[in-house]
Amino acid sequence: MTLGSAASPAVPGRLTDHEAWQRLEHERESRLTQLKAIEAAGAGQQAADDLLAAQRASTRRVLKEIDAAFERLADGTYGRCQDCGEAVPAERLEILPYTRHCVGCRRGTA
């Protein structure tokens, strides 16, 4: 998976920078909404509630991954596996637009 510039024509299997940015913004907004709901639900409960703490931590981790994906988009490395350097398939980026790895590297089989 590679990125084309926003001005380049649509090429099958490629995302433009604009499309990648939109996907990341959507993921970020979804996770921020989720975090607000978790925090609101926990307002009347003990701070040590394991389930809410795990959900909060998970959502914050994904938000960090999304911010890192924006940085990769800005520096031109978005869409490349950080382990093997190969292009991440468009289908994977559609599902997880903030992913840093191809499926093979994520599974440890590349």
Side-chain angles (χ1 to χ4, degrees):
M1 173 69 199
T2 56
L3 291 177
S5 71
S8 66
V11 176
R14 295 180 67 157
L15 290 177
T16 65
D17 289 353
H18 179 72
E19 290 168 329
W21 189 273
Q22 285 181 315
R23 288 177 194 272
L24 290 167
E25 277 293 333
H26 174 76
E27 280 293 321
R28 188 171 196 284
E29 288 303 315
S30 295
R31 299 305 172 146
L32 286 171
T33 299
Q34 182 182 23
L35 185 59
K36 287 177 187 175
I38 291 167
E39 290 173 346
Q45 299 178 15
Q46 293 181 352
D49 183 356
D50 291 340
L51 178 59
L52 286 175
Q55 288 175 328
R56 191 176 296 118
S58 175
T59 302
R60 286 185 177 139
R61 180 192 57 78
V62 172
L63 285 168
K64 286 181 183 178
E65 291 287 337
I66 292 168
D67 289 342
F70 277 120
E71 290 175 17
R72 291 191 303 279
L73 187 60
D75 71 18
T77 61
Y78 180 84
R80 291 259 164 223
C81 177
Q82 287 187 338
D83 288 344
C84 70
E86 293 296 319
V88 176
E91 297 83 9
R92 180 157 172 79
L93 290 171
E94 287 176 15
I95 295 168
L96 288 171
Y98 49 87
T99 190
R100 295 177 288 134
H101 305 285
C102 66
V103 174
C105 288
R106 183 66 180 159
R107 289 183 180 162
T109 59

